[in-house]
Amino acid sequence: MYLNPRIVGCVERTLVLSHGYGGSQAIWDKVLPHLSKSNKVLLFDWDFAGATAGEAGEEERYTFSRFADELVALMDEVKLKGALFVGHSMAGMVGCIASIRRPGLFTHLVLVGASPRYMNSEDYEGGFDKSAIDEMLSSISSDFHSWANGFVALAIGIADQSVVELLARSFFAMDPRMAHGLARMLFLGDQREVLDRVVVLCTLVHVSGDFEAPPSIGRYMQGRLKRCTSAVLETIDSVGHFPQLVALEEMLRILNVMLGEGRLLASDVVEERSGNEGSLAEAEVNGDVDVVAMS
C-alpha cells in the first residue's frame, strides 16, 4: 500500500494524524514538533493527495468504507494498536468507521472539524442546501483551481499568506477529476448512522467560526455518540476549518489534555515555531468533509 507513511518519534505511546480533503500530511507540520517529543506519531497521505486520476482509477472508487479499510490496513502494516487517532475533517468519520471494525486499534478518537452529513434536510441542519452543493460540484468540475482558490482563503480564515500557500499547494496538487469525485462522496453522503455504533472514547473539536463544520455539528454528534465511553466537545475560539494551522496553541492544549500532559504554555508554542473486530452494516459510507460551497 502506498500512502507515503512516516513515523516520527520513538516512544511507546502512538498517535495517528490523518488529513482530510485537499490536505496532505503537511497540515500537521506546526503541531508535529511538540507531539513527537513524547509520542510515536504516524503520518500519511491519502491517495488523492498529489495523485492523478490515471494513477488512482475512476472517481467512483471513493467511499468512506474503502478509506476505513485502508486506515486499518496501514495500522496493521506498521504494527500500531491502541493509538490515539486525530482525524481532521473527512478523516474524522473515516476513523469512526475504522474504530467500529477494529476497536482494538484505537484508544481515543479526536475528531477535528468532522461532520457526518453536510446537506440540510427536514430533520437535520448540515450547513448546505442541495442547490449550494450542486453549484459547488459544478464549479469543481468546470474550474477546479478557481474554486480551490476561493475555498482555501475561506477555510484558513486569516490573512496569513504562508499558511494560505501551504494549504493551496496541497489543494492544487489534486487531480481535478479526483477532486470532483471525492467532493461528491463527501457532500452527498450521510454517515449519521455510523455515530450510533462508535464505542471508542471521542473528543470532538470544532472552531467557533468554521463555516463548514460549526460547533452545532459537534453538538449533534455528541448527542448521537451514545455508545462510546465518553464524548466531549471542545470549541476553539477562532475562524476557519484548520485549527492545526491557525489556532496552534489551543489545538495543542486540547491534544495535551487527551495525552495527559496538562496545558501547553504559550511560550512552548512560540519556541516550537522558531485487535477486536467490530461490525458495520454494509451501508456504503458516502459523504464528508473538506470542500465547501464556493463558486
Side-chain angles (χ1 to χ4, degrees), residues 160-180:
D160 185 328
Q161 192 59 30
S162 65
V163 175
V164 171
E165 289 176 357
L166 184 155
L167 186 58
R169 280 195 297 272
S170 64
F171 261 84
F172 296 154
M174 294 178 69
D175 183 284
R177 289 168 294 175
M178 295 174 66
H180 183 265

Side-chain angles (χ1 to χ4, degrees), residues 216-280:
S216 59
I217 297 293
R219 290 190 290 271
Y220 172 87
M221 294 175 68
Q222 185 181 32
R224 192 135 181 183
L225 287 163
K226 298 184 184 300
R227 292 186 60 195
C228 74
T229 309
S230 175
V232 175
L233 175 61
E234 294 275 359
T235 302
I236 293 176
D237 185 15
S238 185
V239 294
H241 191 57
F242 288 79
Q244 67 272 59
L245 294 176
V246 303
L248 179 59
E249 181 177 354
E250 278 299 288
M251 190 72 242
L252 285 175
R253 177 191 66 78
I254 291 168
L255 291 175
N256 282 344
V257 171
M258 304 304 100
L259 295 165
E261 296 180 0
R263 185 179 180 89
L264 183 72
L265 299 176
S267 58
D268 294 330
V269 177
V270 172
E271 179 183 348
E272 287 175 6
R273 284 174 178 169
S274 43
N276 293 321
E277 292 285 344
S279 63
L280 180 67

Side-chain angles (χ1 to χ4, degrees), residues 100-154:
I100 293 167
R101 294 179 174 177
R102 291 282 299 281
L105 292 180
F106 307 92
T107 58
H108 198 145
L109 302 177
V110 182
L111 312 177
V112 183
S115 176
R117 179 166 172 80
Y118 294 91
M119 189 187 302
N120 298 330
S121 59
E122 291 183 1
D123 63 340
Y124 177 76
E125 182 65 39
F128 301 97
D129 292 331
K130 177 63 161 54
S131 59
I133 291 174
D134 288 343
E135 184 178 355
M136 176 196 69
L137 293 173
S138 176
S139 296
I140 294 174
S141 180
S142 62
D143 192 347
F144 170 68
H145 284 84
S146 293
W147 174 84
N149 264 323
F151 172 78
V152 166
L154 193 58

